[in-house]
Amino acid sequence: MLEYLRNASEKPIAKVLIGILSFSFVGWGVAEWIFGGGAMDTAMMNVGGSDISVQQFNSQKSNDLSSMTREQQREIYTDLAMQSAFNAQVLQKVVTNQMLENRANDLGFVVSDRRIAREIREFPEFQVNGTFSPLLFDRALSNSGLGEAEFANAIRDQVKRTMVLAAPAQPIKVPDFVVKAAYNSRYGMREIEYATVKYSDFNVDTPTDEQLAEYYKQNPQTLPETRAVSYVFVETDMAQPDKYDVGYANAIKIEDDIIAGESMKDAAKKHGAKYVALDAFARDKRPANKILTDAMVAKIFDMDEGLESEMIETKDGFLFLRVEKVNPAHVAEFDGVKKSLIADWKKSEQKKQAYVRANELLVDLNQGNGLKNKKSARVSRMSGAPTDVLVAAFRAGIGANSIVPGDDVFYVLSVQDIIQPTIDDKKMTDLRKDMQAMSDRGLVDDYDAFLKREYPVKVNEKVYNRVFAK
């Protein structure tokens, strides 16, 4: 194969996979440093009958990491949410590639050695003064640890995937009548009449305890789960190896003391770390604290009461969490929320009376008596009346009468006329571009859905959970 590549003379037509040669060896080390663990031979997933091994996942992960800066790598390393998102992105890429390769094989696509040679000769990294250099190619293979056949097969698979994607990547022109209809819909106007009935137009008396109790039966209040948490934080400069090592050694001592039975507070004091005890808080109402990132809050609400977390590395240091108390979600006692119900009860009663009044106006309108206290307006989809009225006006036809609910208000709406827009060439051109882009995305999305149906994904839960440490 190598001899053939050296002798091939065709002009290349694509640049693919140079990252495999440049970064596979270094990237592998970075991936193992960040995520830990070694390669396993057991298949992690099956895509349409083709296995995906842990090695394939790790290889793609390594290549993706190698294209990042060291700072980006460290963010993935220290942020659990980013690490999880990165792993999911890599896994999706591996699965998608396998689907495309399956499709290429089913369609009988073949990539010749001559085509592979043309692709390789195009890489600038393998050229000297515009000419393919066997020396540079040999050196790249040697540095990467890949054999010629492995590199050639990687290119072959990439070319096959490109061939599969060629058809759905071709745009299908959006018909003129569709663009015209969308233009009329977007820029058309409506002549409307509407009356406003506000809740605040109606006065209600203060409710009795019996009325509040009955209201509470229909509208109980559930208090969310809350958790009291404490933590120990060993702050250090994670980007400085020496300081990292000192901080890590101190965190290990604290961890050993906690395991030995010392309280987190005493262990923190003994080793000069920061100890913080937080009052109970709900998942969506966390206190202002830089430690409580989305990922940390998710972890806290996943832990059992009375247990400490393992050592957690963050971008600013080492962290130990403990859930001191779990207060489950529960329905609040009536006496505890009675005062807060008064405003809700009054609003509910006002809403009932406002609806009765709006219905009276609608009945009069439908009987041909006109709409009292009306406003007349020519409106677009974006302006001329309250948003709720605009939405309802453009959903209805000429002569439609209706009650439209809003925020603390009801509107009684009547659509008088539909006004077609004049054609603006620039707007029409911009709209056509937008619709073409949507059509292209829709075509790709449909093809993606087809591939998922044709090549279903099955997960080996045991291996998958080992890889992602669940």
Side-chain angles (χ1 to χ4, degrees), residues 69-370:
T69 65
R70 186 166 183 80
E71 180 58 33
Q72 290 172 324
Q73 293 172 357
R74 185 165 294 281
E75 286 181 2
I76 292 174
Y77 172 48
T78 57
D79 191 313
L80 294 178
M82 288 188 66
Q83 185 178 128
S84 178
F86 175 73
N87 278 334
Q89 184 181 39
V90 172
L91 189 59
Q92 180 61 49
K93 185 180 295 185
V94 173
V95 169
T96 299
N97 285 344
Q98 189 60 60
M99 286 181 178
L100 294 173
E101 289 170 23
N102 288 352
R103 189 60 184 162
N105 293 332
D106 288 349
L107 293 174
F109 289 163
V110 175
V111 181
S112 67
D113 291 348
R114 183 179 296 273
R115 170 69 182 272
I116 294 174
R118 290 165 57 188
E119 298 288 352
I120 291 178
R121 291 176 64 84
E122 177 67 6
F123 287 130
E125 290 79 2
F126 302 154
Q127 295 181 0
V128 175
N129 298 325
T131 302
F132 176 72
S133 171
L135 178 61
L136 291 180
F137 181 60
D138 289 343
R139 184 180 300 165
L141 284 177
S142 177
N143 290 339
S144 71
L146 292 177
E148 299 169 22
E150 292 176 281
F151 185 56
N153 285 335
I155 293 181
R156 195 185 309 276
D157 290 339
Q158 175 65 28
V159 174
K160 283 183 178 180
R161 293 195 293 267
T162 303
M163 293 166 68
V164 171
L165 290 173
Q170 296 302 312
I172 298 176
K173 182 181 178 182
V174 178
D176 292 341
F177 77 88
V178 174
V179 179
K180 180 68 178 295
Y183 184 88
N184 289 338
S185 176
R186 177 178 293 189
Y187 296 108
M189 307 283 282
R190 296 288 191 273
E191 292 281 1
I192 65 170
E193 294 178 352
Y194 69 98
T196 303
V197 183
K198 299 179 181 178
Y199 297 178
S200 59
D201 292 340
F202 303 88
N203 296 319
V204 295
D205 295 331
T206 300
T208 63
D209 286 354
E210 290 75 14
Q211 287 174 315
L212 286 177
E214 183 62 29
Y215 175 78
Y216 192 58
K217 287 182 182 179
Q218 304 299 321
N219 303 275
Q221 293 185 10
T222 300
L223 300 179
E225 176 185 324
T226 60
R227 296 190 170 212
V229 177
S230 62
Y231 68 82
V232 174
F233 186 59
V234 180
E235 188 170 6
T236 189
D237 188 344
M238 303 291 278
Q240 298 293 327
D242 291 343
K243 294 182 179 179
Y244 175 95
D245 291 341
V246 172
Y248 180 76
N250 200 28
I252 289 293
K253 294 177 183 177
I254 293 173
E255 184 176 44
D256 290 342
D257 287 346
I258 293 173
I259 293 174
E262 286 195 38
S263 69
M264 292 180 66
K265 183 177 182 180
D266 291 342
K269 183 177 181 181
K270 179 178 178 180
H271 298 286
K274 182 179 182 181
Y275 173 80
V276 175
L278 300 172
D279 293 333
F281 62 90
R283 184 187 293 263
D284 59 348
K285 292 184 179 179
R286 74 189 75 169
N289 188 307
K290 69 177 184 178
I291 294 298
L292 298 180
T293 62
D294 290 343
M296 290 303 169
V297 170
K299 187 173 185 65
I300 287 169
F301 278 82
D302 242 2
M303 293 171 60
D304 294 328
E305 180 178 320
L307 295 183
E308 297 89 10
S309 71
E310 73 286 358
M311 184 197 307
I312 302 170
E313 295 193 23
T314 75
K315 65 179 181 179
D316 297 313
F318 301 92
L319 175 69
F320 299 92
L321 294 169
R322 176 182 171 85
V323 175
E324 302 289 353
K325 179 69 175 175
V326 175
N327 304 307
H330 60 281
V331 176
E333 294 293 333
F334 170 70
D335 289 339
V337 298
K338 184 170 66 174
K339 290 184 179 180
S340 66
L341 295 175
I342 295 175
D344 292 339
W345 181 90
K346 286 186 174 182
K347 183 176 179 179
S348 176
E349 291 300 308
Q350 289 176 316
K351 180 179 180 180
K352 293 176 184 177
Q353 296 185 35
Y355 183 79
V356 171
R357 178 55 181 155
N359 194 60
E360 291 172 350
L361 293 176
L362 180 61
V363 170
D364 285 345
L365 178 61
N366 288 335
Q367 292 177 349
N369 297 324

Side-chain angles (χ1 to χ4, degrees), residues 30-44:
V30 171
E32 292 304 311
W33 170 62
I34 289 181
F35 294 103
M40 293 174 287
D41 293 330
T42 308
M44 182 170 62

Side-chain angles (χ1 to χ4, degrees), residues 32-57:
E32 292 304 311
W33 170 62
I34 289 181
F35 294 103
M40 293 174 287
D41 293 330
T42 308
M44 182 170 62
M45 307 181 78
N46 183 281
V47 180
S50 299
D51 287 341
I52 292 179
S53 67
V54 178
Q55 291 98 318
Q56 285 176 270
F57 172 78

